[in-house]
Amino acid sequence: MPNPTSVMKRLLLGRPYRSDAMAHTLLPKRVALPVFASDALSSVAYAPAEILLTLSAAGATAFLFSPWIALAVAVVMATVVASYRQNVHAYPSGGGDYEVATVNLGSKFGLTVASALLVDYVLTVAVSISSGVDALGDMWPYVGQHRVAFAVGLIAVLTAINLRGIREAGTAFAIPTYAFMIAILSLVIWGVFRIFVLGDDLKAASASMHVKAEHGLFVGSSFAFVFLLVRAFSSGCAALTGVEAISNGVPAFKPPKSKNAATTLLMLGTIAISMMAGIILLARKTGLQYVECFKVDPSIGCTASQIEGPAPFTKQPTVTAQLAETVFDHFRPGYFIVLAVTALILVLAANTAFNGFPVLGSILAQDRYLPRQLHTRGDRLAFSNGIVFLASAAAVLVIVFRAETTKLIQLYIVGVFVSFTLSQTGMIRHWNRLLRTERDPAIRSRMKRSRVINTFGMFMTGFVLLLVLVTKFTKGAWISIAAMAVIYALMVGIRKHYDRVARELEPTEERPILPARNHAIVLVSKLHNPTLRALAYAKATRPDTLTALTVNVDTADTRVIQDEWDNRGISVKLTVIDSPYREITRPIIDYVKDVRENAPRDVVTVYIPEYVVGHWWENLLHNQSALRLKARLLFEPGVMVTSVPWQLSSTSEKSVARFDRRLGYAPARDARTEENASQR
């Protein structure tokens, strides 16, 4: 009968893939776009809202600056996309920003980039899921009332989908991502057509609000207002998150990998800029105002310090929801379609991190900066451990911050712009190094053009990074910086540990000294089949001395063992050691130490009889003393520990042959079988 755990795993994840099936997981551009670009594309659902929300502190007049801020964000995005197109051609191995910084700036800068990206990927999942729950709450208030539970549940669903493999996840997410792009572009095009061609006077519900400046802010040349504009710009730069994911995922593309990755980047930049600019344009033309509700009064609706009088709603809908309701006022299904696909894409945007984090974790593990388990592929050729770790960290963030997007987004952006800036700096050094040796005029011209692009990108992203640090540090960005520092220190510590272990394991020129003698000790708890097998096996190894050892915890039980021993006529002498405090482990350890101290050049082999059970719950009932003994004996120098198993009937379903048949594997062939087959 199949193991229930194995059956459940196969139902959720599917049958395992062979290692030589890696080509099956490679992505064409049409699938790679929703896999790697869903985060950047989905940001148009909340980046414009963050711009308007920040500007609202200065009153309704400040909304006039939103198109200019959106234009500045679009320029930065275009610059970053152009810069990363150079990256994917120069470094197609999948290391992305981490590889660029490590190769050109050194390991310290590479680890800085890696720690920033790891933090950013976790925040991507938390922010995307929380935003998706917000959008779902616009349609179903019940979701908004239980936002944390729904957010954690959605993270679990995404984890299961990604554990099935990158291609399967991409296929599942392709339709919703394309549906979102079509819905938003249709919203923008139809809205612009109605306003500029049909001449319809479209007004958002929030246009009737009277928004005043908060804390005395006003439009003018005051430093406070300029600082507010800078804050709005830095908030809008959330639209750039996820752009770097393509450079980290180049190995997942079908050949030619670099060309396909660069083309996908260009598609991403064009679509994202068009959608964001269109939303900001419609927001201005419909008079949309977006203000954070500090308090909700059921009798009068949303109240805030900037709102004079009652608001037209109790909970302000998202920017896309307000625009959809305004533009599709004559076509109600259009409104619900926009809301549905927006909520879906915000949830699926987390998939970008589920593809980027495990790959980066695998590369860092290969470089010995993270545990090696992160470099291991699962049954479906996905980096399963990295996927599970990412999901766990994001779930913790969602729970701690109550799935509130406004709070989480303050932690956002810092990490990605750290990686942007250091990556572009590394690319400049990359081109400088190549230009020293390149003599072909055409190639030198292309390199210089690429260097100009990366130089402009470095200054642009570095400037945005400074703005983000200044405007968001006290709002929560310091938490991201602290997390990056902790991860950096942790990776350095892991690397030192692996290096120290490697040095200790390195073979020397000296030949290993053979032990003078081998003393075998067979542990006896009862005289049963496992003990008899252990004795027979110990005899077969022909040790210099052989001792059967039992601990006298209960005198009556010990006498029974001695009587059975004598009745069977076992040639090996049974040694009994007393334990006045009824402890088993300590007396055995002391006995083994005494043997070692009397003959330090000898080796002691301890044979531990164990019976093997077939069910996990049976393990809780057996072999606990053996586990404690093995764990303690492993720390004793010159002591070898050998487990002698005795399989009980419940293990019959766990045989290797049955396991191979269940997975569809052919039986393993030994060397003699291979030799005979070759001779035939």
Side-chain angles (χ1 to χ4, degrees):
M1 182 177 177
N3 188 333
T5 304
S6 178
V7 171
M8 182 62 67
K9 183 179 180 181
R10 293 292 165 258
L11 287 174
L12 291 175
L13 307 183
R15 295 181 64 83
Y17 287 148
R18 292 169 55 92
S19 296
D20 55 10
M22 276 296 296
H24 167 79
T25 65
L26 298 181
L27 306 176
K29 293 190 292 293
R30 67 179 183 278
V31 178
L33 181 64
V35 167
F36 291 108
S38 56
D39 179 25
L41 292 175
S42 69
S43 63
V44 301
Y46 55 80
E50 291 300 315
I51 293 174
L52 298 175
L53 189 64
T54 306
L55 291 175
S56 68
T61 312
F63 291 129
L64 294 171
F65 291 86
S66 58
W68 299 104
I69 293 174
L71 178 61
V73 173
V75 170
V76 176
M77 177 175 282
T79 303
V80 170
V81 168
S83 299
Y84 272 95
R85 281 170 58 84
Q86 315 305 314
N87 289 33
V88 297
H89 285 298
Y91 294 92
S93 61
D97 295 341
Y98 164 69
E99 182 180 4
V100 173
T102 301
V103 171
N104 297 288
L105 303 177
S107 60
K108 292 182 179 179
F109 289 97
L111 285 184
T112 302
V113 169
S115 61
L117 286 174
L118 292 175
V119 171
D120 186 69
Y121 282 136
V122 174
L123 284 168
T124 294
V125 177
V127 171
S128 298
I129 293 293
S130 300
S131 300
V133 171
D134 283 341
L136 288 172
D138 287 339
M139 294 185 289
W140 299 294
Y142 182 80
V143 175
Q145 296 167 7
H146 303 83
R147 54 190 306 113
V148 175
F150 275 94
V152 174
L154 288 171
I155 291 175
V157 171
L158 282 178
T159 303
I161 293 174
N162 279 278
L163 287 174
R164 292 185 65 89
I166 184 173
R167 187 180 182 92
E168 283 69 19
T171 303
F173 297 157
I175 295 176
T177 303
Y178 283 117
F180 171 75
M181 288 189 285
I182 294 171
I184 295 298
L185 290 175
S186 299
L187 169 69
V188 171
I189 293 171
W190 181 239
V192 170
F193 181 79
R194 289 189 63 185
I195 294 171
F196 292 98
V197 178
L198 300 181
D200 293 344
D201 185 21
L202 300 181
K203 291 297 179 184
S206 58
S208 61
M209 288 194 308
H210 298 285
V211 181
K212 65 179 181 179
E214 186 184 34
H215 304 308
L217 286 172
F218 57 90
V219 177
S221 59
S222 70
F223 174 78
F225 184 72
V226 173
F227 184 76
L228 185 72
L229 293 179
V230 172
R231 263 187 58 197
F233 169 69
S234 64
S235 296
C237 285
L240 276 75
T241 54
V243 174
E244 80 289 346
I246 292 179
S247 68
N248 294 330
V250 176
F253 283 81
K254 282 190 171 182
K257 297 177 182 291
S258 296
K259 181 180 178 181
N260 287 337
T263 303
T264 306
L265 263 170
L266 182 60
M267 294 164 57
L268 159 66
T270 304
I271 296 170
I273 290 173
S274 301
M275 291 195 298
M276 187 183 67
I279 287 177
I280 290 292
L281 175 63
L282 281 182
R284 286 304 313 128
K285 291 299 179 181
T286 59
L288 188 148
Q289 301 178 97
Y290 198 70
V291 181
E292 182 178 4
C293 295
F294 298 106
K295 181 181 178 183
V296 176
D297 188 329
S299 61
I300 64 173
C302 174
T303 60
S305 57
Q306 312 104 283
I307 300 178
E308 295 179 338
F313 32 67
T314 56
K315 180 184 181 298
Q316 184 167 206
T318 59
V319 170
T320 50
Q322 292 189 55
L323 289 177
E325 188 172 22
T326 305
V327 173
F328 295 118
D329 55 353
H330 61 297
F331 182 62
R332 199 63 179 171
Y335 165 74
F336 287 108
I337 290 173
V338 171
L339 261 61
V341 296
T342 300
L344 195 56
I345 192 62
L346 285 169
V347 172
L348 300 185
N351 191 59
T352 297
F354 274 102
N355 286 291
F357 184 99
V359 172
L360 179 59
S362 170
I363 294 171
L364 289 168
Q366 192 173 11
D367 291 345
R368 297 181 294 178
Y369 287 114
L370 286 180
R372 289 171 180 165
Q373 292 86 337
L374 293 178
H375 184 57
T376 305
R377 291 184 182 269
D379 288 349
R380 304 284 288 185
L381 298 179
F383 294 110
S384 305
N385 293 327
I387 291 172
V388 172
F389 183 86
L390 171 64
S392 303
V396 169
L397 270 181
V398 165
I399 293 171
V400 170
F401 287 89
R402 306 294 301 168
E404 295 184 16
T405 308
T406 303
K407 292 182 179 179
L408 283 167
I409 209 165
Q410 304 303 326
L411 284 64
Y412 214 12
I413 308 176
V414 177
V416 72
F417 274 96
V418 167
S419 63
F420 283 168
T421 305
L422 291 179
S423 173
Q424 301 314 305
T425 305
M427 286 301 296
I428 294 171
R429 297 194 67 175
H430 168 80
W431 298 125
N432 287 339
R433 185 176 66 252
L434 294 182
L435 283 168
R436 294 192 193 103
T437 57
E438 184 59 53
R439 294 293 177 263
D440 188 296
I443 297 177
R444 285 181 62 86
S445 177
R446 286 198 299 270
M447 288 181 177
K448 288 180 179 179
R449 184 172 63 252
S450 297
R451 184 175 62 177
V452 170
I453 294 172
N454 288 127
T455 301
F456 184 69
M458 180 197 69
F459 283 112
M460 186 69 72
T461 56
F463 176 67
V464 174
L465 175 61
L466 290 176
L467 295 182
V468 170
L469 290 175
V470 170
T471 59
K472 290 183 175 291
F473 186 83
T474 57
K475 297 286 185 179
W478 66 270
I479 299 177
S480 295
I481 297 172
M484 288 164 52
V486 170
I487 293 175
Y488 182 98
L490 185 64
M491 289 193 292
V492 171
I494 291 173
R495 176 59 185 263
K496 287 182 179 179
H497 167 78
Y498 280 136
D499 288 346
R500 183 177 68 252
V501 170
R503 287 194 301 269
E504 292 184 17
L505 297 179
E506 185 71 24
T508 61
E509 297 296 330
E510 300 178 2
R511 292 184 178 180
I513 300 175
L514 296 176
R517 293 191 301 170
N518 178 21
H519 301 279
I521 299 175
V522 178
L523 302 184
V524 179
S525 60
K526 290 182 180 179
L527 190 54
H528 47 27
N529 285 331
T531 300
L532 295 175
R533 173 177 284 184
L535 279 170
Y537 179 62
K539 285 181 181 179
T541 63
R542 298 183 180 181
D544 294 284
T545 64
L546 177 58
T547 303
L549 185 68
T550 188
V551 180
N552 181 19
V553 176
D554 184 283
T555 304
D557 291 342
T558 303
R559 285 176 180 170
V560 171
I561 294 174
Q562 289 175 316
D563 292 342
E564 292 181 357
W565 201 272
D566 294 336
N567 293 336
R568 284 184 172 271
I570 299 174
S571 59
V572 179
K573 181 181 177 181
L574 178 65
T575 301
V576 181
I577 54 178
D578 288 324
S579 178
Y581 297 100
R582 300 162 304 283
E583 188 182 1
I584 296 176
T585 304
R586 172 51 57 185
I588 293 175
I589 297 297
D590 291 340
Y591 183 89
V592 171
K593 282 184 175 180
D594 289 340
V595 175
R596 280 280 300 154
E597 289 174 359
N598 295 332
R601 287 193 57 192
D602 295 354
V603 67
V604 177
T605 304
V606 180
Y607 295 90
I608 303 178
E610 294 185 61
Y611 32 95
V612 183
V613 294
H615 304 101
W616 65 268
W617 53 268
E618 292 178 292
N619 281 313
L620 301 176
L621 307 176
H622 303 285
N623 296 326
Q624 300 307 310
S625 298
L627 287 173
R628 288 194 296 270
L629 268 171
K630 283 192 287 187
R632 185 63 185 84
L633 287 169
L634 289 175
F635 291 95
E636 296 297 329
V639 177
M640 313 300 165
V641 183
T642 302
S643 293
V644 183
W646 179 273
Q647 291 81 9
L648 298 180
S649 59
S650 61
T651 63
S652 59
E653 298 178 358
K654 304 287 185 178
S655 67
V656 174
R658 289 176 64 91
F659 184 73
D660 284 345
R661 287 196 299 271
R662 187 183 306 156
L663 296 181
Y665 298 156
R669 305 178 70 184
D670 58 24
R672 287 172 296 180
T673 305
E674 295 286 353
E675 182 179 357
N676 294 336
S678 63
Q679 291 174 354
R680 290 196 298 270

